[in-house]
Amino acid sequence: MSNISRPKGPSQLFLLVAIGISVCYLISCNPNAGGGQPEPPINADTVKNHLIPIGEAVQLTANFRATIADMEKKDPHFSDSLNFGHAESFPADLFRELLRQKDSVGRAFGIRIYYGRDASGKIHQILVPYDSLGNDIINHIADINIVPKPGIRTEALKVSDGQAGQNGSRCPPDCGNDSSGLN
């Protein structure tokens, strides 16, 4: 027979409950563990309104690449003047951080993607959160002392005014596998 018996007295019961709560907390039974806010629910209808079949996505990206190639034939300097690339990728943490931003209306409703052009002619995506009224949310997001890396501008992390997301990994060269047909 087992030596484990029922708790004898309030102190043992309290200890058992405390251990149970601690274990639950450590294995993340608490969605607010660590002081974070729970993820807002996803509106499936909103998602559905922005989905297209992958075949259509493949066709749209192929049309874009063909247009760029056609423009290059007409003007051999086109790629030098407007270097679009095929895509840019950004880490999920950037999207999560942008979607955490708030203004007087409330939490970010979405992310708007602007197009920008750097001094070398490369076109970049600029990510900015917006509120439920469609207004850009311009906040100071991060203030980090980092070691400068080639190609990454760190002055944006030390400013006191607003910031936007950028510095995605460009395709090419960072295109991943070509099994999707998108690149």
Side-chain angles (χ1 to χ4, degrees):
M1 191 105 208
S2 171
N3 289 341
I4 300 174
S5 61
R6 290 189 299 162
K8 297 179 178 135
S11 62
Q12 286 184 340
L13 181 59
F14 175 77
L15 183 61
L16 199 59
V17 169
I19 290 171
I21 290 172
S22 298
V23 168
C24 187
Y25 181 82
L26 290 173
I27 61 172
S28 299
C29 289
N30 180 356
N32 294 321
Q37 296 180 355
E39 291 287 324
I42 293 174
N43 181 328
D45 290 332
T46 300
V47 172
K48 289 177 191 175
N49 288 334
H50 295 278
L51 296 175
I52 61 173
I54 193 67
E56 184 177 342
V58 168
Q59 186 61 53
L60 290 171
T61 59
N63 292 349
F64 178 77
R65 289 189 307 275
T67 300
I68 297 296
D70 189 46
M71 293 298 293
E72 184 67 27
K73 288 177 189 171
K74 292 177 184 176
D75 179 2
H77 302 290
F78 178 76
S79 289
D80 294 335
S81 63
L82 287 177
N83 184 345
F84 278 98
H86 296 174
E88 280 187 81
S89 57
F90 298 89
D93 286 341
L94 176 62
F95 286 95
R96 286 194 295 268
E97 184 60 39
L98 291 174
L99 290 171
R100 283 177 17 137
Q101 298 306 302
K102 296 177 184 176
D103 66 3
S104 61
V105 176
R107 193 177 198 153
F109 188 74
I111 296 173
R112 182 171 285 122
I113 301 174
Y114 290 97
Y115 300 101
R117 181 174 178 226
D118 69 17
S120 70
K122 288 182 182 176
I123 303 300
H124 296 277
Q125 295 178 3
I126 313 299
L127 286 61
V128 177
Y130 66 91
D131 64 25
S132 63
L133 299 177
N135 300 313
D136 290 343
I137 299 174
I138 308 298
N139 291 338
H140 181 82
I141 299 169
D143 193 16
I144 304 169
N145 293 323
I146 61 174
V147 176
K149 295 179 183 175
I152 303 295
R153 297 184 329 273
T154 58
E155 67 272 11
L157 299 176
K158 297 176 183 172
V159 298
S160 60
D161 55 351
Q163 296 164 319
Q166 203 255 326
N167 291 324
S169 296
R170 287 179 56 95
C171 166
D174 297 326
C175 297
N177 66 31
D178 195 20
S179 63
S180 67
L182 291 169
N183 58 27

